[in-house]
Amino acid sequence: TQLLEQSPQFLSIQEGENLTVYCNSSSVFSSLQWYRQEPGEGPVLLVTVVTGGEVKKLKRLTFQFGDARKDSSLHITAAQPGDTGLYLCAGQGTSYDKVIFGPGTSLSVIP
Amino acid sequence: DAGITQSPRHKVTETGTPVTLRCHQTENHRYMYWYRQDPGHGLRLIHYSYGVKDTDKGEVSDGYSVSRSKTEDFLLTLESATSSQTSVYFCAISESTRSSTDTQYFGPGTRLTVL
C-alpha cells in the first residue's frame, strides 16, 4: 500500500521568513502534486512534478521532486499571510493508479 | 474555477438517519470522486465513478453508497449515519485520460455532523 507522509504537521512562522515542508514515501511515484487548501474551501492544485530531480517555481514557491521520485519538497521564500493554509501532497504510482493524498502541513503565517 | 457545487454545505443529523450529499458539475468530466477529510488523515477516497452508472469503492467505503444517473451528478448516501461519519466531505472531478497525471478539481465541501 502506498503511503505519503508530510512534515511538519503544523508550522507557525512570522511574515517574511522562509520555510520548507516535506512529502515522503517509501514508494516510487510517477508524479507528485501539491495542493493548497484554505479554510472552508476545497484543495486547489499548485503544481505537478513528473521527472526525478525536477524543480518548478511558482512566484515565491519552489517545488522539487526527489531524484528517486519518492519524495518532494515545497520551499516558500518570504512567507506572507496569504500563504496560510493546508498544503497537501498527492501522488500517483502510475497513470492508471488512483491518486493518494498525504495528511497535510498546516501553515500559519503571522503578520 | 471548475464548476463544481456541493449540497448541502452544512448538515447536522442524528445517528441512524439516512443522509444524501449531492455533487453537481458543469464541466462534463468523466470521473467524479467522493473524499472525506479528517484531521491527521488528509483526504481519503470513499467511492468514485468513471461514468454514468459506473462506480467503484475507495479505501473507506464501508457505510457509504453512491449513485450516478447523469454525467453531472454524483450522490453519496450514508444509509444509517454514525458518529464516526462526522467529517468534511469533498467531491472532486477529473478528466483522467490515463495517459497523463490525474488532476482533480474539488468542490467547496460539505460539513456533516452526526450527533
Side-chain angles (χ1 to χ4, degrees):
Chain A
T1 303
Q2 293 180 316
L3 289 174
L4 282 168
E5 298 177 337
Q6 292 189 244
S7 60
Q9 186 177 359
F10 299 97
L11 186 58
S12 180
I13 62 171
Q14 295 290 328
E15 182 177 359
E17 293 183 352
N18 301 333
L19 66 114
T20 303
V21 298
Y22 301 92
C23 174
N24 298 286
S25 177
S26 58
S27 303
V28 174
F29 290 91
S30 64
S31 65
L32 265 175
Q33 299 175 313
W34 286 92
Y35 288 79
R36 179 168 64 205
Q37 183 179 17
E38 299 186 13
E41 300 182 6
V44 175
L45 180 68
L46 295 174
V47 76
T48 300
V49 285
V50 298
T51 304
E54 182 177 4
V55 176
K56 282 192 173 179
K57 293 190 175 183
L58 184 64
K59 296 184 181 178
R60 293 175 295 100
L61 279 60
T62 301
F63 305 86
Q64 184 162 8
F65 200 10
D67 291 341
R69 291 186 287 124
K70 293 183 178 181
D71 55 85
S72 181
S73 63
L74 159 59
H75 181 79
I76 301 179
T77 302
Q80 299 177 359
D83 296 326
T84 292
L86 180 68
Y87 289 81
L88 295 159
C89 67
Q92 253 183 308
T94 72
S95 61
Y96 292 87
D97 293 327
K98 291 186 287 296
V99 173
I100 63 167
F101 287 83
T105 291
S106 179
L107 172 65
S108 176
V109 182
I110 302 166
Chain B
D1 290 343
I4 311 167
T5 56
Q6 293 184 231
S7 59
R9 293 294 314 278
H10 302 271
K11 186 170 182 66
V12 179
T13 191
E14 294 188 349
T15 297
T17 60
V19 176
T20 295
L21 308 183
R22 179 179 183 245
C23 177
H24 178 80
Q25 63 150 326
T26 59
E27 306 298 319
N28 201 36
H29 282 7
R30 179 183 175 191
Y31 283 77
M32 299 185 75
Y33 308 82
W34 276 108
Y35 291 90
R36 60 178 290 173
Q37 185 174 39
D38 304 289
H41 290 278
L43 289 159
R44 292 183 291 176
L45 183 64
I46 304 171
H47 282 280
Y48 68 101
S49 169
Y50 46 97
V52 174
K53 299 190 189 305
D54 292 323
T55 64
D56 204 352
K57 297 178 179 180
E59 64 175 300
V60 290
S61 60
D62 287 348
Y64 302 94
S65 63
V66 291
S67 65
R68 190 170 179 197
S69 59
K70 297 185 291 185
T71 298
E72 58 266 33
D73 290 325
F74 193 31
L75 303 181
L76 177 70
T77 297
L78 291 66
E79 301 291 348
S80 178
T82 67
S83 59
S84 64
Q85 293 176 312
T86 292
S87 187
V88 181
Y89 292 86
F90 286 97
C91 173
I93 65 174
S94 77
E95 293 180 293
S96 191
T97 63
R98 290 293 187 255
S99 63
S100 61
T101 302
D102 182 10
T103 296
Q104 299 188 15
Y105 302 92
F106 286 83
T110 294
R111 183 173 295 276
L112 176 67
T113 302
V114 183
L115 301 175

